[in-house]
Amino acid sequence: MRTALKRGTLLLVGLCGYGVSMAMMVRAGLGLDPWDVFHQGLTRHTPLTLGMASAVVGVVVLLAWIPLRNRPGIGTVANVIVIAVTVDATLAVLPAPSALPVRIAMMIGAVVLNAISTVLYIGAGLGPGPRDGLMTGLVARTGLSVRLVRTGIEATVLAAGWLLGGTVGIGTVVYAFGIGPLVQLFLRLTPRSLLFHDFSGGRARADRDPITTMGEWPQGNAPTRQPATTETEPTPTC
């Protein structure tokens, strides 16, 4: 029970932080990450808010899991709902700064918060987000590399979002090149007791759910999972 509570807390804190970081990037006005460029582009042509656009896209992406035979977890559903609510709530109270130094600081802070939040919500081991699952599912089914699949997906949504009027700028570049190293940094700094997702590709600790990660099957061949005794029922993931 204590482990389940800890994992749920990590998930919610991570997802809320992720939503706040999205709103900070928007208010900074210096460019968004590829998926949010697409989400913002949709808001230019529909009555949807950014959070609603994110949720709608998340549901559509989940439908793409069906032919990929992915299975969502609790965290997958929470990802769609919590981030959508949090980003809209934050945008409602967070003003847009006018001074360029403040905008730059907000953008950098958003990328850092996004990385920390990513470690927390994925570290909870309760299921990947819809977009992460799409990427890993395509890797598993096509045999293509993670780098190629991720680049293809993000280039596509970035181009579509830009054509729809989404904000592309220096923040987009900073996010693209900074998020990976920052996630790796915070993974090293985060106590192992707070991570229930096997980022290393090795066997999970006894009280962790043996989650398949991108690093475990870069060539598209998912390894056979080893049974593990868990304190809670394992959550199905992709």
Side-chain angles (χ1 to χ4, degrees):
M1 182 64 182
R2 185 176 300 175
T3 299
L5 180 61
K6 183 186 291 186
R7 295 174 76 179
T9 301
L10 287 172
L11 176 69
L12 289 177
V13 171
L15 293 178
C16 287
Y18 200 101
V20 171
S21 73
M22 287 172 58
M24 290 171 64
M25 289 285 284
V26 172
R27 289 295 184 242
L30 296 173
L32 307 176
D33 71 87
W35 278 103
D36 285 338
V37 171
F38 181 62
H39 299 151
Q40 189 184 57
L42 290 177
T43 68
R44 308 288 196 202
H45 303 275
T46 67
L48 298 174
T49 64
L50 185 66
M52 292 168 62
S54 173
V56 169
V57 171
V59 171
V60 172
V61 171
L62 277 176
L63 294 177
W65 283 30
I66 297 174
L68 297 175
R69 290 178 289 178
N70 282 355
R71 292 181 299 169
I74 296 173
T76 309
V77 178
N79 182 290
V80 174
I81 299 171
V82 176
I83 289 179
V85 172
T86 304
V87 67
D88 280 348
T90 305
L91 285 172
V93 299
L94 184 66
S98 56
L100 182 59
V102 179
R103 294 169 63 195
I104 293 174
M106 181 177 284
M107 179 266 292
I108 294 174
V111 176
V112 172
L113 177 59
N114 190 281
I116 295 172
S117 301
T118 297
V119 170
L120 292 179
Y121 97 76
I122 294 181
L126 293 173
R131 297 153 189 82
D132 292 331
L134 173 64
M135 176 177 60
T136 55
L138 286 173
V139 169
R141 301 305 169 194
T142 65
L144 298 174
S145 69
V146 169
R147 182 176 302 176
L148 181 60
V149 171
R150 177 171 181 172
T151 300
I153 292 174
E154 295 195 349
T156 300
V157 296
L158 177 62
W162 177 72
L163 290 173
L164 289 171
T167 305
V168 178
I170 186 62
T172 309
V173 178
V174 171
Y175 186 93
F177 287 97
I179 192 65
L182 283 172
V183 167
Q184 290 296 324
L185 171 64
F186 291 120
L187 270 176
R188 290 195 295 268
L189 296 177
T190 303
R192 298 298 98 181
S193 61
L194 293 180
L195 297 178
F196 297 86
H197 179 100
D198 186 15
F199 287 93
S200 68
R203 291 189 61 180
R205 202 180 62 192
D207 62 343
R208 296 180 187 175
D209 183 13
I211 305 295
T212 301
T213 68
M214 291 184 292
E216 289 176 333
W217 32 284
Q219 299 305 318
N221 297 315
T224 302
R225 293 183 180 180
Q226 299 295 328
T229 302
T230 59
E231 297 178 10
T232 58
E233 183 179 354
T235 302
T237 64
C238 64

